[in-house]
Amino acid sequence: MKRTVPHFVCALVLLFTTFKGISQDIHFSQFFEAPLLRNPALAGLFNGDLRFQMVYRSQWNSVTEPYETGTFNGEYKIPVGGESEDFISVGGQILYDQAGTAQLSATHILPVFNYHKSLSAEKNKYLSLGFMAGIVQRSINRSKVTTNSQFDGSSYNPNLGDGETFDKSSFGYFDGSAGISFNSQIGENANNNYFIGIGYHHFNKASNVSFYSNNTTRLQAKWVLSTGIKMSTNEYSYITIHADHSKQGPYSETIGGFMYTRKLDDPTNPRLTISGGAMLRLNDAFIPVAKIEVSPLAISVSYDANISQLKSASQGRGGMEIGLSYQKFFEKNNTTKNASRCPRF
Protein backbone atom coordinates (compact mmCIF):
# COMPACT_ATOMS: atom_id res chain seq x y z
CA MET A 1 0.00 0.00 0.00
CA LYS A 2 2.88 2.35 0.75
CA ARG A 3 4.06 2.07 -2.85
CA THR A 4 0.58 2.30 -4.41
CA VAL A 5 -0.29 5.69 -2.88
CA PRO A 6 2.68 7.69 -4.24
CA HIS A 7 2.28 6.01 -7.61
CA PHE A 8 -1.38 7.01 -7.69
CA VAL A 9 -0.62 10.59 -6.64
CA CYS A 10 2.17 10.82 -9.20
CA ALA A 11 -0.16 9.58 -11.93
CA LEU A 12 -2.70 12.28 -10.99
CA VAL A 13 0.01 14.95 -11.15
CA LEU A 14 1.11 13.75 -14.58
CA LEU A 15 -2.48 13.67 -15.86
CA PHE A 16 -3.08 17.20 -14.57
CA THR A 17 0.05 18.52 -16.26
CA THR A 18 -0.98 16.75 -19.45
CA PHE A 19 -4.20 18.80 -19.66
CA LYS A 20 -2.60 22.03 -18.47
CA GLY A 21 0.77 21.43 -20.15
CA ILE A 22 -0.28 22.45 -23.67
CA SER A 23 1.59 25.66 -22.83
CA GLN A 24 4.77 23.67 -22.18
CA ASP A 25 6.48 22.11 -25.19
CA ILE A 26 7.72 18.58 -25.77
CA HIS A 27 11.42 18.07 -25.14
CA PHE A 28 14.10 15.45 -25.70
CA SER A 29 17.16 14.52 -23.68
CA GLN A 30 19.02 13.98 -26.97
CA PHE A 31 18.12 17.55 -27.95
CA PHE A 32 21.26 17.72 -30.09
CA GLU A 33 19.68 15.10 -32.37
CA ALA A 34 16.56 17.27 -32.88
CA PRO A 35 18.02 20.63 -34.03
CA LEU A 36 14.83 22.02 -35.57
CA LEU A 37 13.04 21.60 -32.26
CA ARG A 38 15.71 23.86 -30.75
CA ASN A 39 15.89 26.54 -33.44
CA PRO A 40 14.99 26.49 -37.17
CA ALA A 41 18.22 28.45 -37.80
CA LEU A 42 20.18 25.32 -36.82
CA ALA A 43 19.02 23.58 -40.01
CA GLY A 44 21.99 22.88 -42.26
CA LEU A 45 24.69 23.14 -39.57
CA PHE A 46 26.28 19.81 -40.40
CA ASN A 47 29.11 18.43 -42.51
CA GLY A 48 27.27 17.03 -45.53
CA ASP A 49 24.61 17.65 -48.17
CA LEU A 50 21.77 15.63 -46.62
CA ARG A 51 20.82 14.67 -43.08
CA PHE A 52 17.94 12.69 -41.60
CA GLN A 53 17.47 12.33 -37.84
CA MET A 54 14.96 10.42 -35.77
CA VAL A 55 14.52 10.29 -31.98
CA TYR A 56 12.06 8.10 -30.04
CA ARG A 57 11.35 8.61 -26.34
CA SER A 58 9.37 6.57 -23.82
CA GLN A 59 9.01 7.75 -20.22
CA TRP A 60 7.14 7.24 -16.93
CA ASN A 61 6.62 3.51 -17.62
CA SER A 62 7.07 2.85 -13.89
CA VAL A 63 4.35 5.36 -12.88
CA THR A 64 1.51 5.33 -15.42
CA GLU A 65 0.83 4.60 -19.06
CA PRO A 66 4.09 5.49 -20.86
CA TYR A 67 4.40 8.86 -22.54
CA GLU A 68 5.73 8.26 -26.06
CA THR A 69 7.27 10.89 -28.30
CA GLY A 70 8.95 10.65 -31.68
CA THR A 71 10.48 13.17 -34.07
CA PHE A 72 11.78 12.89 -37.61
CA ASN A 73 13.56 15.72 -39.37
CA GLY A 74 15.38 16.08 -42.67
CA GLU A 75 17.62 18.80 -44.08
CA TYR A 76 19.07 19.30 -47.56
CA LYS A 77 21.81 21.87 -48.08
CA ILE A 78 22.16 23.71 -51.43
CA PRO A 79 24.93 26.17 -52.40
CA VAL A 80 23.79 29.50 -53.80
CA GLY A 81 24.98 29.91 -57.43
CA GLY A 82 27.77 32.13 -58.75
CA GLU A 83 30.79 33.15 -56.69
CA SER A 84 28.82 33.33 -53.47
CA GLU A 85 29.78 31.18 -50.49
CA ASP A 86 26.19 31.34 -49.22
CA PHE A 87 23.93 28.31 -48.77
CA ILE A 88 20.28 27.56 -48.24
CA SER A 89 18.80 24.63 -46.31
CA VAL A 90 15.36 23.18 -46.90
CA GLY A 91 13.62 20.39 -45.03
CA GLY A 92 11.15 19.85 -42.28
CA GLN A 93 10.15 18.17 -39.05
CA ILE A 94 7.42 15.69 -38.15
CA LEU A 95 6.73 15.34 -34.44
CA TYR A 96 4.33 12.92 -32.73
CA ASP A 97 3.48 12.67 -29.05
CA GLN A 98 1.02 10.55 -27.06
CA ALA A 99 0.63 11.04 -23.34
CA GLY A 100 -1.07 9.09 -20.59
CA THR A 101 -4.08 6.85 -20.27
CA ALA A 102 -6.37 9.33 -22.05
CA GLN A 103 -4.06 9.14 -25.11
CA LEU A 104 -3.66 12.89 -25.45
CA SER A 105 -1.78 13.13 -28.75
CA ALA A 106 -0.25 15.76 -30.99
CA THR A 107 1.08 15.61 -34.55
CA HIS A 108 3.24 18.43 -35.95
CA ILE A 109 4.13 18.79 -39.66
CA LEU A 110 6.52 21.71 -40.05
CA PRO A 111 8.53 22.57 -43.21
CA VAL A 112 11.70 24.64 -42.67
CA PHE A 113 13.79 27.09 -44.74
CA ASN A 114 17.16 28.50 -43.70
CA TYR A 115 19.55 30.96 -45.38
CA HIS A 116 23.24 30.87 -44.44
CA LYS A 117 25.16 34.08 -45.14
CA SER A 118 28.96 33.78 -45.34
CA LEU A 119 30.77 36.43 -43.26
CA SER A 120 34.36 35.57 -44.14
CA ALA A 121 36.43 35.00 -47.27
CA GLU A 122 39.03 32.93 -45.36
CA LYS A 123 37.18 30.47 -43.15
CA ASN A 124 33.80 29.05 -42.14
CA LYS A 125 31.85 31.87 -40.54
CA TYR A 126 28.11 32.06 -41.14
CA LEU A 127 25.07 33.96 -39.97
CA SER A 128 21.91 31.88 -40.45
CA LEU A 129 18.27 32.89 -40.45
CA GLY A 130 15.60 30.18 -40.36
CA PHE A 131 11.81 29.91 -40.52
CA MET A 132 9.60 26.91 -39.77
CA ALA A 133 5.81 26.81 -40.01
CA GLY A 134 3.05 24.28 -40.48
CA ILE A 135 0.06 22.50 -39.01
CA VAL A 136 -0.43 20.95 -35.56
CA GLN A 137 -3.26 18.53 -34.79
CA ARG A 138 -4.18 17.52 -31.21
CA SER A 139 -6.65 14.88 -30.07
CA ILE A 140 -7.79 12.90 -27.04
CA ASN A 141 -9.51 9.53 -26.66
CA ARG A 142 -12.64 10.49 -24.72
CA SER A 143 -13.51 6.84 -24.08
CA LYS A 144 -10.29 6.48 -22.05
CA VAL A 145 -11.07 9.40 -19.72
CA THR A 146 -12.16 8.28 -16.24
CA THR A 147 -13.06 10.61 -13.35
CA ASN A 148 -14.39 10.43 -9.79
CA SER A 149 -17.85 11.29 -11.18
CA GLN A 150 -17.97 7.67 -12.40
CA PHE A 151 -17.59 6.26 -8.89
CA ASP A 152 -21.03 4.96 -7.83
CA GLY A 153 -20.22 4.62 -4.13
CA SER A 154 -18.65 1.20 -4.30
CA SER A 155 -16.73 0.92 -7.57
CA TYR A 156 -16.04 2.46 -10.98
CA ASN A 157 -19.14 2.52 -13.19
CA PRO A 158 -18.43 3.22 -16.91
CA ASN A 159 -22.13 3.90 -17.52
CA LEU A 160 -21.98 7.11 -15.48
CA GLY A 161 -21.00 10.38 -17.16
CA ASP A 162 -17.46 11.62 -16.60
CA GLY A 163 -18.66 15.09 -15.60
CA GLU A 164 -16.36 16.83 -18.08
CA THR A 165 -17.76 19.55 -20.37
CA PHE A 166 -15.26 19.70 -23.24
CA ASP A 167 -17.20 19.26 -26.49
CA LYS A 168 -14.58 18.20 -29.02
CA SER A 169 -12.02 15.43 -29.11
CA SER A 170 -9.61 17.09 -31.58
CA PHE A 171 -8.53 20.47 -32.87
CA GLY A 172 -5.83 21.89 -35.13
CA TYR A 173 -3.96 25.15 -35.55
CA PHE A 174 -1.17 26.86 -37.50
CA ASP A 175 2.19 27.19 -35.77
CA GLY A 176 5.31 29.15 -36.70
CA SER A 177 8.87 29.54 -35.43
CA ALA A 178 11.86 31.66 -36.41
CA GLY A 179 15.46 31.85 -35.33
CA ILE A 180 18.92 33.20 -35.91
CA SER A 181 22.29 31.55 -35.32
CA PHE A 182 25.97 32.31 -35.76
CA ASN A 183 28.57 29.58 -36.33
CA SER A 184 32.28 29.88 -36.91
CA GLN A 185 35.45 27.89 -37.30
CA ILE A 186 37.91 28.21 -34.41
CA GLY A 187 41.44 28.98 -35.55
CA GLU A 188 42.85 27.25 -38.62
CA ASN A 189 41.34 23.81 -37.94
CA ALA A 190 38.07 23.49 -39.89
CA ASN A 191 37.01 20.67 -37.54
CA ASN A 192 36.91 23.02 -34.56
CA ASN A 193 33.66 24.99 -34.52
CA TYR A 194 31.19 26.72 -32.27
CA PHE A 195 27.69 28.09 -32.66
CA ILE A 196 25.23 30.21 -30.73
CA GLY A 197 21.62 30.84 -31.63
CA ILE A 198 18.26 31.96 -30.37
CA GLY A 199 14.92 30.58 -31.50
CA TYR A 200 11.46 32.10 -31.08
CA HIS A 201 8.76 29.43 -31.26
CA HIS A 202 4.98 29.89 -31.67
CA PHE A 203 5.45 33.50 -32.77
CA ASN A 204 1.83 33.60 -34.00
CA LYS A 205 0.58 32.57 -30.52
CA ALA A 206 -2.25 30.41 -31.87
CA SER A 207 -5.58 30.99 -30.11
CA ASN A 208 -8.20 28.57 -28.76
CA VAL A 209 -5.70 25.73 -28.31
CA SER A 210 -8.19 23.84 -26.16
CA PHE A 211 -10.76 21.07 -26.29
CA TYR A 212 -13.31 23.61 -25.01
CA SER A 213 -14.96 25.61 -27.83
CA ASN A 214 -15.54 28.72 -25.68
CA ASN A 215 -11.98 28.77 -24.35
CA THR A 216 -9.72 31.69 -25.33
CA THR A 217 -6.43 30.05 -24.35
CA ARG A 218 -3.48 31.09 -26.53
CA LEU A 219 -0.34 29.09 -27.13
CA GLN A 220 2.50 30.72 -25.23
CA ALA A 221 5.59 31.74 -27.18
CA LYS A 222 8.90 30.10 -26.27
CA TRP A 223 12.46 31.42 -26.42
CA VAL A 224 15.35 28.95 -26.74
CA LEU A 225 18.98 29.98 -26.35
CA SER A 226 21.30 27.31 -27.78
CA THR A 227 25.06 26.97 -27.94
CA GLY A 228 27.64 24.35 -28.76
CA ILE A 229 31.35 23.84 -29.32
CA LYS A 230 33.33 21.07 -30.99
CA MET A 231 37.08 20.84 -30.28
CA SER A 232 39.69 18.27 -31.29
CA THR A 233 41.74 16.85 -28.42
CA ASN A 234 44.15 15.08 -30.79
CA GLU A 235 44.16 13.57 -34.28
CA TYR A 236 41.83 10.75 -33.27
CA SER A 237 39.38 12.33 -30.85
CA TYR A 238 37.28 15.39 -30.09
CA ILE A 239 34.83 16.72 -27.51
CA THR A 240 31.40 18.21 -28.26
CA ILE A 241 29.52 20.36 -25.75
CA HIS A 242 25.84 21.31 -26.15
CA ALA A 243 23.57 23.44 -23.96
CA ASP A 244 20.05 24.90 -24.20
CA HIS A 245 18.04 27.22 -22.00
CA SER A 246 14.35 27.62 -22.82
CA LYS A 247 11.64 29.86 -21.41
CA GLN A 248 7.92 29.45 -22.12
CA GLY A 249 5.54 31.44 -19.94
CA PRO A 250 6.22 30.43 -16.32
CA TYR A 251 8.17 27.34 -17.41
CA SER A 252 11.91 27.24 -17.95
CA GLU A 253 14.41 24.46 -18.61
CA THR A 254 18.19 24.25 -18.73
CA ILE A 255 19.98 21.23 -20.16
CA GLY A 256 23.59 20.69 -21.19
CA GLY A 257 26.44 18.24 -21.32
CA PHE A 258 29.29 16.78 -23.32
CA MET A 259 30.20 13.90 -25.61
CA TYR A 260 33.70 12.46 -26.13
CA THR A 261 34.22 10.93 -29.58
CA ARG A 262 36.96 8.53 -30.67
CA LYS A 263 37.78 7.85 -34.33
CA LEU A 264 38.55 4.17 -34.93
CA ASP A 265 39.94 4.35 -38.48
CA ASP A 266 41.18 7.05 -40.88
CA PRO A 267 41.39 10.24 -38.75
CA THR A 268 40.98 12.57 -41.74
CA ASN A 269 37.86 10.85 -43.07
CA PRO A 270 36.58 8.51 -40.34
CA ARG A 271 33.89 5.97 -41.10
CA LEU A 272 33.71 4.38 -37.65
CA THR A 273 33.47 6.41 -34.42
CA ILE A 274 32.21 5.79 -30.89
CA SER A 275 31.04 8.44 -28.43
CA GLY A 276 30.08 8.59 -24.79
CA GLY A 277 29.08 11.28 -22.37
CA ALA A 278 26.29 12.69 -20.25
CA MET A 279 23.70 15.45 -20.16
CA LEU A 280 22.09 17.11 -17.13
CA ARG A 281 18.59 18.61 -17.09
CA LEU A 282 18.71 20.85 -14.04
CA ASN A 283 16.59 19.65 -11.11
CA ASP A 284 15.16 16.85 -13.24
CA ALA A 285 17.45 14.17 -14.68
CA PHE A 286 21.00 12.96 -15.14
CA ILE A 287 21.33 11.47 -18.63
CA PRO A 288 24.12 9.08 -19.73
CA VAL A 289 24.49 8.95 -23.54
CA ALA A 290 26.29 6.53 -25.89
CA LYS A 291 26.60 6.71 -29.67
CA ILE A 292 28.19 4.67 -32.45
CA GLU A 293 28.58 5.81 -36.04
CA VAL A 294 29.28 3.67 -39.09
CA SER A 295 29.12 6.40 -41.70
CA PRO A 296 26.65 7.44 -43.02
CA LEU A 297 24.54 5.86 -40.24
CA ALA A 298 24.65 6.52 -36.50
CA ILE A 299 22.66 5.27 -33.52
CA SER A 300 22.53 6.80 -30.06
CA VAL A 301 20.98 5.68 -26.77
CA SER A 302 20.31 7.65 -23.59
CA TYR A 303 18.46 7.15 -20.33
CA ASP A 304 17.04 9.70 -17.89
CA ALA A 305 17.90 8.91 -14.29
CA ASN A 306 15.26 10.87 -12.39
CA ILE A 307 16.65 13.28 -9.75
CA SER A 308 13.48 15.38 -9.40
CA GLN A 309 10.90 15.33 -6.58
CA LEU A 310 9.20 12.44 -8.38
CA LYS A 311 12.22 10.15 -7.95
CA SER A 312 10.64 8.26 -5.01
CA ALA A 313 7.42 7.43 -6.87
CA SER A 314 9.27 6.66 -10.11
CA GLN A 315 12.01 4.73 -8.26
CA GLY A 316 14.55 6.96 -10.02
CA ARG A 317 13.43 5.78 -13.45
CA GLY A 318 12.68 8.30 -16.16
CA GLY A 319 12.82 7.98 -19.94
CA MET A 320 14.67 5.93 -22.53
CA GLU A 321 15.59 7.54 -25.85
CA ILE A 322 16.93 6.06 -29.07
CA GLY A 323 18.29 8.24 -31.87
CA LEU A 324 19.05 7.29 -35.46
CA SER A 325 20.69 9.54 -38.05
CA TYR A 326 21.83 9.42 -41.67
CA GLN A 327 24.24 12.04 -42.98
CA LYS A 328 26.25 12.14 -46.20
CA PHE A 329 27.62 14.06 -49.17
CA PHE A 330 26.44 13.51 -52.73
CA GLU A 331 28.75 13.18 -55.72
CA LYS A 332 27.21 15.88 -57.87
CA ASN A 333 28.02 19.28 -59.29
CA ASN A 334 26.36 21.33 -56.58
CA THR A 335 27.55 19.27 -53.60
CA THR A 336 28.93 21.08 -50.58
CA LYS A 337 31.73 18.49 -50.27
CA ASN A 338 34.09 20.42 -52.56
CA ALA A 339 33.02 23.86 -51.37
CA SER A 340 35.85 25.89 -49.90
CA ARG A 341 33.56 26.74 -46.98
CA CYS A 342 30.15 25.65 -45.75
CA PRO A 343 28.17 25.97 -42.52
CA ARG A 344 28.95 22.98 -40.29
CA PHE A 345 29.19 21.81 -36.73
Side-chain angles (χ1 to χ4, degrees):
M1 183 67 180
K2 291 182 179 180
R3 289 181 57 189
T4 303
V5 172
H7 279 224
F8 176 71
V9 172
C10 186
L12 288 178
V13 171
L14 291 172
L15 182 62
F16 175 77
T17 56
T18 293
F19 278 97
K20 296 293 186 182
I22 288 177
S23 60
Q24 187 178 21
D25 277 2
I26 294 163
H27 60 208
F28 289 96
S29 296
Q30 294 186 46
F31 60 102
F32 48 88
E33 296 289 357
L36 306 187
L37 199 59
R38 306 169 73 185
N39 181 350
L42 299 184
L45 269 64
F46 63 95
N47 192 24
D49 293 322
L50 178 71
R51 178 170 69 176
F52 294 112
Q53 292 171 295
M54 180 176 66
V55 183
Y56 170 77
R57 176 179 180 86
S58 178
Q59 67 179 127
W60 302 120
N61 301 57
S62 60
V63 178
T64 182
E65 290 291 324
Y67 286 30
E68 297 181 318
T69 309
T71 182
F72 176 81
N73 64 268
E75 305 146 76
Y76 180 49
K77 201 158 56 180
I78 307 169
V80 175
E83 299 298 321
S84 173
E85 296 290 345
D86 298 356
F87 292 82
I88 61 172
S89 296
V90 295
Q93 174 177 258
I94 298 173
L95 180 67
Y96 178 77
D97 178 66
Q98 181 171 285
T101 305
Q103 298 176 353
L104 177 66
S105 64
T107 302
H108 307 239
I109 302 176
L110 304 168
V112 66
F113 175 86
N114 194 351
Y115 191 93
H116 309 276
K117 178 63 181 177
S118 177
L119 301 180
S120 173
E122 287 78 37
K123 63 179 183 179
N124 293 325
K125 182 181 289 188
Y126 283 86
L127 185 67
S128 301
L129 181 64
F131 295 92
M132 184 168 66
I135 300 299
V136 179
Q137 182 73 28
R138 294 184 180 271
S139 65
I140 192 170
N141 188 340
R142 184 66 179 264
S143 67
K144 297 290 186 178
V145 175
T146 59
T147 71
N148 58 3
S149 296
Q150 295 169 297
F151 181 70
D152 62 8
S154 59
S155 63
Y156 166 71
N157 185 347
N159 295 318
L160 296 177
D162 59 23
E164 296 298 324
T165 59
F166 59 90
D167 53 2
K168 54 184 178 179
S169 59
S170 67
F171 64 90
Y173 58 89
F174 177 82
D175 190 31
S177 302
I180 190 170
S181 70
F182 172 78
N183 72 96
S184 178
Q185 177 180 322
I186 302 173
E188 300 301 318
N189 188 343
N191 294 316
N192 294 341
N193 299 271
Y194 74 92
F195 78 87
I196 185 168
I198 187 164
Y200 185 55
H201 300 266
H202 321 306
F203 60 70
N204 58 312
K205 299 180 182 179
S207 61
N208 197 24
V209 286
S210 170
F211 293 102
Y212 297 89
S213 296
N214 59 352
N215 193 290
T216 57
T217 302
R218 299 186 71 91
L219 185 62
Q220 293 178 306
K222 180 176 74 171
W223 292 95
V224 181
L225 176 64
S226 302
T227 188
I229 185 170
K230 178 181 176 183
M231 290 290 295
S232 298
T233 56
N234 57 50
E235 187 181 13
Y236 282 91
S237 61
Y238 58 88
I239 292 175
T240 308
I241 299 172
H242 282 281
D244 275 8
H245 177 75
S246 60
K247 175 70 174 175
Q248 185 177 20
Y251 305 101
S252 64
E253 178 183 281
T254 301
I255 184 171
F258 78 98
M259 294 282 285
Y260 173 81
T261 300
R262 182 73 178 177
K263 306 171 188 177
L264 301 182
D265 51 9
D266 181 4
T268 60
N269 188 27
R271 184 172 181 270
L272 179 61
T273 64
I274 56 172
S275 305
M279 303 291 153
L280 178 67
R281 186 182 299 110
L282 290 184
N283 302 316
D284 186 58
F286 175 74
I287 309 152
V289 186
K291 183 176 182 179
I292 183 169
E293 180 177 0
V294 183
S295 184
L297 293 172
I299 186 169
S300 53
V301 179
S302 65
Y303 187 80
D304 289 21
N306 192 352
I307 59 173
S308 73
Q309 294 180 354
L310 291 176
K311 64 182 179 181
S312 296
S314 68
Q315 302 174 42
R317 288 177 284 183
M320 170 73 75
E321 283 186 15
I322 298 176
L324 182 66
S325 64
Y326 175 91
Q327 178 177 317
K328 69 172 296 182
F329 287 103
F330 289 125
E331 300 297 335
K332 55 185 178 59
N333 293 333
N334 67 334
T335 182
T336 63
K337 185 174 185 178
N338 299 317
S340 57
R341 292 178 303 282
C342 69
R344 65 178 67 184
F345 185 73

